[in-house]
Amino acid sequence: MDKLIITGGVRLTGEVAISGAKNAALPILCAALLTKEPLTLSNVPALNDIGTMLKLLAQMGVKMEREGDRVTLDASDLHNPVAPYELVKTMRASILVLGPLVARCGEAKVSLPGGCAIGARPVDQHIKGLTAMGAEVTVEHGYVHARATRLKGARLFTDMVTVTGTENLMMAACLGAGETVIENAAREPEVVDLAQCLNAMGARIAGAGTDVIRIQGVDALHGATHRIMPDRIETGTFLCAAAATGGEVRLTGTSAGYLDAVVDKLMDAGCEITSEKLPGIETLMIQAPARLKAVSIRTAPYPAFPTDMQAQFMAINAVAEGTAVMRETIFENRFMHAVELIRLGADIRIDGNTAFVTGRPALQGATVMATDLRASASLVIAGLVAEGETHIERIYHLDRGYEHIERKLTVLGANIRREKA
Ligand code: UD1
């Protein structure tokens, strides 16, 4: 397995381009299942999760062409509405094919994703919503099997805010008969990006970005072109990397608009963040102090502080001045990076869903293990500020969600290299 070797102590400076959002691209690729006509997407990031999703769609009969960051999908001949365990187990977001497949083919068989490192992550809300829309859903032999001649509009209420749940039900409702209302809907910007793409395909969705989404079902969707929004978590991760190293970095092709909670906390930590809108491009500038102040956070659904940025903030708090209280409210087991950060010398105490992090003036390089996608990012940030060499093993997690991370960090002056297995 590949590993990353980082020699810490370099202050990051320079400019780097932010890629398209993984969590927007994944559902939008699945939206292609809803139409017989081609869907062309640009700003699609080159990530392993995107490769997995394309493989999944291909084995259902979707034809595709990929050139640079552009992907054209043609689902005119869908002959196999099945998502097998072998692919789903590597990426939970595969569940996003469920809604579109039942809506378009009248049937879908999708392997249950099972748990993952950060928690149990059930899909009961996806199933509850489809059932309310008239689908007959059974769970047998590890597969969710859903059937419906045509889904019908319904009033849906999810027990908790679920991002992919909202996306699955919104896509399914596009081809349903009548109006569907999703209450307690996720307000994440990626939900809005998906709704914009679906509306460009002829869907009638209103309210995306609020907690009540209304969808008027239509008989068919048509082809469209759509540009995937910038990745706000990649943006936040680079902001944290710059902040931790006392750096000065400009990020292009992204926007502060999706990142208020993160930007606020980095400013509380002592950073200066400014954005600039030039014709056709938006940039974000961060200038960090020599030492950050510790910042407490509590994760919650958008627009509050994102759980996908919690690990990166733990890394910056580990070297900040003072003590931070970090509360994780979305996933029950999302502190695995803490024990690895402790191996680098961090002072962290965990009590249930709360971490108490007291900043140390310095961390020391060591060998650590990446345990999930965002945990890996926090170890990279810690490695950038640790004294000496940090070896990060199991970086396949990083490749799932960060495009060319070591190349981008090298551009900013970091001393980081990949050692092939
Ligand atoms: C999405 C993001 C992920 C992010 C998470 C929370 C994608 C591809 N992934 O994941 O990066 O960390 O949102 O912002 O967009 N839950 C249930 N039953 C369900 C659905 C969810 O109990 O049917 C629970 C989950 O276990 C979790 C919480 O609800 O505790 C929120 O999960 P959810 O928003 O669904 O996360 P994902 O959509 O899987």
Side-chain angles (χ1 to χ4, degrees), residues 5 31 138 150 193 202 231 253 346 356 358 365 393 413:
I5 301 171
T138 54
R150 184 174 182 189
D193 204 30
D231 196 312
F356 300 87
T358 301
E393 298 187 342

Side-chain angles (χ1 to χ4, degrees), residues 222-257:
H222 52 72
T225 58
H226 179 79
R227 183 175 170 83
I228 306 289
M229 64 175 281
D231 196 312
R232 64 191 168 101
I233 305 302
E234 187 197 21
T235 305
T237 302
F238 276 93
L239 289 176
C240 284
T245 62
E248 193 174 334
V249 166
R250 182 187 290 270
L251 304 176
T252 62
T254 188
S255 164

